[in-house]
Amino acid sequence: MTRDEYFTLLKERWEQVDKTSREAIHEYNEWKRELRHMIDADQRIASKMACTAVPGKPYRQ
């Protein structure tokens, strides 16, 4: 997921949140935090694969 996709998802979700409800805002923040953790994990994996890749050979763990 690109940063643009990430921010698009955040914007779409935020537009659906009932901003008068503390619980709804709390749920949004939890969702946002989980999404960010998933993106960070994906980026770490991609970075690890890029650092250990040998040109012309498939990545193996």
Side-chain angles (χ1 to χ4, degrees), residues 4-59:
D4 289 338
E5 292 170 331
Y6 169 72
F7 287 114
T8 299
L9 282 174
L10 290 180
K11 182 180 178 185
E12 289 173 0
R13 184 75 177 251
W14 180 247
E15 290 171 355
Q16 298 171 6
V17 172
D18 175 8
K19 291 157 188 83
T20 63
S21 168
R22 183 176 181 180
E23 184 177 326
I25 293 170
H26 180 71
E27 288 173 5
Y28 167 81
N29 286 333
E30 285 183 22
W31 173 82
K32 179 180 171 182
R33 193 174 305 115
E34 286 298 316
L35 183 62
R36 186 68 195 154
H37 286 305
M38 289 176 11
I39 291 170
D40 288 344
D42 288 346
Q43 288 176 347
R44 281 193 300 271
I45 291 169
S47 176
K48 181 179 178 181
M49 290 176 70
C51 290
T52 59
V54 176
K57 296 194 175 194
Y59 173 77

